């Protein structure tokens, strides 16, 4: 039996299957910082505010002084932000804030509506600021779309990871953002998440394979959607296919699937979960079940701005002296 359903090139953003909406992958080789959390480099020739063209190895995105995404609204789904390299400054309409990165993950339930900003501060002034981030949009079922907004941090020191060797002593490392593998279980997701119910089999894994390593993925239920995103490396081999980097592999989750790496280190993201199987209507930052609900979301945002914006600017960044921290809406602050 073959486990592979389809192999296709990665676009931007990455296409996903229900219960996921998409995955945005950002890799930027930012230069030294200028002491004000922006790049110590000319911004001439960039379409500031809409800078999505890779120029000199990096982009400003919607930022004009600091790269990133100034305040914008969401409703009806969750964002799971995996900051593998670099830092993210979070601020939101609930008064919550944070600085996280270098392996940390933020899990945010937008629910009935929240504004937030995600800026990428370049703290290093004496060296470059490499940046690598995934943002996964995970849908909420109809009965959870209007829950209260929520965010939590999964600090990298507390994220579950398995490291093991194949038959030839090549190492495979799997980081569990969500789900379980063998005797390891990821930290709890946000409480209203589709991932909070184990029967939905939501797994979000980052896999790192030594050169020439081989790994066999365990079986899941037949009705589970499973995709692998091969984003770093050269090529992998599976079921007589040679698959180059920057490809998605859509799989039958109920079939074992073995991959063998080439002679360079390989990195993959796995997204898996039972589908919600409800209508999905998307309009920019809003994801609901009908056009009427989308119009209601737009109207409410125009009227209330989902609580307004309590920060001095829409591209708010935190003080250069701040380390990793999370400030929650109830005023509780955790520092790392």
């Amino acid at each position: 039996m073959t486990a592979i359903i389809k192999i296709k090139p990665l676009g931007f953003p990455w296409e996903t299957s229900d219960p996921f909406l998409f995955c945005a992958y950002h890799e930027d080789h930012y230069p030294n910082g200028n002491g004000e959390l922006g790049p110590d480099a000319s911004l001439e020739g960039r379409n500031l505010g809409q800078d999505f063209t890779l120029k000199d190895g990096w982009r400003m995105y919607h930022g004009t002084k600091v790269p990133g995404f100034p305040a914008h609204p969401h409703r009806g789904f969750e964002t799971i932000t995996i900051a593998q390299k670099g830092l993210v400054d979070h601020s939101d309409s609930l008064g919550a804030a944070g600085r996280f990165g270098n392996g940390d993950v933020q899990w945010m339930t937008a629910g009935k509506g929240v504004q937030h900003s995600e800026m990428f501060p370049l703290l290093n002034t004496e060296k470059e600021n490499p940046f690598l981030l995934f943002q996964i949009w995970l849908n909420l079922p109809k009965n959870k779309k209007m829950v209260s907004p929520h965010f939590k941090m999964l600090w990298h020191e507390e994220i579950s990871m398995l490291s093991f060797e194949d038959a030839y002593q090549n190492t495979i490392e799997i980081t569990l953002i969500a789900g379980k593998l063998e005797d390891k279980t990821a930290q709890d997701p946000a409480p209203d998440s589709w991932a909070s119910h184990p029967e939905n089999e939501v797994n979000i894994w980052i896999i790192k394979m030594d050169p020439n390593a081989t790994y066999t993925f365990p079986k899941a239920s037949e009705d589970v959607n499973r995709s692998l995103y091969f984003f770093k490396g050269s090529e992998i081999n599976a079921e007589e296919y040679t698959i180059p980097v920057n490809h998605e592999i859509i799989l039958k989750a109920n079939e074992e699937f073995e991959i063998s790496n080439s002679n360079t280190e390989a990195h993959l993201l796995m997204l898996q979960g039972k589908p919600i199987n409800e209508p999905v209507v998307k309009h920019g930052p809003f994801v609901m079940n009908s056009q009427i609900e989308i119009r209601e979301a737009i109207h409410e945002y125009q009227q209330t701005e989902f609580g307004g914006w309590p920060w001095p600017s829409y591209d708010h960044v935190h003080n250069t002296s701040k380390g990793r921290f999370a400030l929650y809406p109830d005023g509780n602050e955790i520092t790392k």
Side-chain angles (χ1 to χ4, degrees):
M1 293 291 290
T2 177
I4 295 176
I5 298 172
K6 189 175 184 180
I7 301 168
K8 62 180 183 180
L10 294 177
F12 183 84
W14 296 349
E15 293 181 6
T16 58
S17 299
D18 187 359
F20 301 97
L21 298 163
F22 70 74
C23 177
Y25 173 75
H26 303 283
E27 183 172 19
D28 293 274
H29 301 281
Y30 288 115
N32 296 17
N34 60 9
E36 297 178 345
L37 303 180
D40 188 16
S42 171
L43 300 180
E44 187 176 351
R46 294 182 179 272
N47 183 21
L48 291 180
Q50 292 285 346
D51 182 29
F52 283 78
T53 300
L54 194 65
K55 181 178 183 293
D56 301 326
W58 50 278
R59 293 153 287 207
M60 290 292 287
Y61 300 105
H62 293 314
T64 55
K65 297 178 180 178
V66 176
F69 295 84
H72 55 280
H74 291 303
R75 171 178 276 187
F77 64 98
E78 300 185 289
T79 60
I80 301 158
T81 305
I82 306 169
Q84 278 208 318
K85 295 180 184 178
L87 295 167
V88 178
D89 275 5
H90 165 88
S91 309
D92 69 32
S93 55
L94 306 175
R99 172 170 286 166
F100 63 94
N102 296 320
D104 299 328
V105 177
Q106 184 204 68
W107 198 304
M108 188 186 82
T109 305
K112 64 183 180 182
V114 67
Q115 281 193 83
H116 74 155
S117 64
E118 305 155 289
M119 307 305 297
F120 309 148
L122 308 183
L123 260 68
N124 295 324
T125 57
E126 302 298 323
K127 59 181 180 179
E128 293 181 344
N129 291 268
F131 186 79
L132 194 157
L133 177 143
F134 308 89
Q135 185 169 93
I136 300 157
W137 285 24
L138 175 60
N139 202 9
L140 287 167
K142 184 177 180 63
N143 66 346
K144 297 290 187 180
K145 283 197 174 292
M146 296 297 284
V147 297
S148 296
H150 177 89
F151 96 90
K152 68 178 295 181
M153 289 304 309
L154 312 180
W155 302 109
H156 74 256
E157 297 92 340
E158 300 155 12
I159 292 175
S160 295
M161 188 182 78
L162 284 85
S163 181
F164 45 88
E165 293 181 341
D166 65 11
Y168 300 97
Q169 286 74 56
N170 301 306
T171 299
I172 299 102
E173 292 181 358
I174 300 182
T175 303
L176 304 182
I177 309 302
K180 64 182 297 183
L181 176 62
E182 296 180 1
D183 61 344
K184 293 279 189 179
T185 301
Q187 293 186 64
D188 290 340
D192 291 301
S193 177
W194 186 248
S196 66
H197 303 282
E199 65 270 20
N200 293 331
E201 298 183 55
V202 175
N203 281 344
I204 301 172
W205 300 352
I206 296 174
I207 302 124
K208 182 172 78 172
M209 301 178 67
D210 271 0
N212 305 308
T214 296
Y215 178 65
T216 301
F217 290 83
K219 295 180 181 180
S221 299
E222 183 177 4
D223 58 345
V224 162
N225 288 327
R226 175 185 279 181
S227 286
L228 286 177
Y229 300 84
F230 178 28
F231 65 91
K232 270 190 182 299
S234 176
E235 59 186 32
I236 55 176
N237 296 289
E239 297 184 356
E240 301 182 356
Y241 293 97
T242 297
I243 304 166
V245 71
N246 295 321
H247 277 74
E248 176 188 0
I249 310 163
I250 303 172
L251 297 168
K252 296 176 184 175
N254 63 328
E255 298 287 344
E256 281 192 349
F257 179 64
E258 182 181 275
I259 59 173
S260 298
N261 190 19
S262 65
N263 57 3
T264 58
E265 191 175 85
H267 296 251
L268 304 98
L269 172 72
M270 186 180 86
L271 299 181
Q272 170 190 298
K274 286 188 178 178
I276 296 172
N277 285 329
E278 293 178 351
V280 174
V281 180
K282 295 185 281 188
H283 182 86
F286 307 130
V287 182
M288 303 301 290
N289 299 110
S290 69
Q291 288 288 353
I292 290 174
E293 291 170 333
I294 290 291
R295 288 196 291 270
E296 289 171 348
I298 294 169
H299 177 75
E300 185 173 336
Y301 177 64
Q302 291 172 338
Q303 296 296 312
T304 69
E305 294 190 331
F306 295 158
W309 189 249
W311 304 98
S313 65
Y314 288 115
D315 57 355
H316 181 68
V317 287
H318 308 306
N319 194 286
T320 55
S321 63
K322 293 285 283 187
R324 293 156 59 225
F325 78 98
L327 172 66
Y328 291 92
D330 63 3
N332 182 39
E333 183 170 337
I334 295 173
T335 58
K336 289 290 179 177

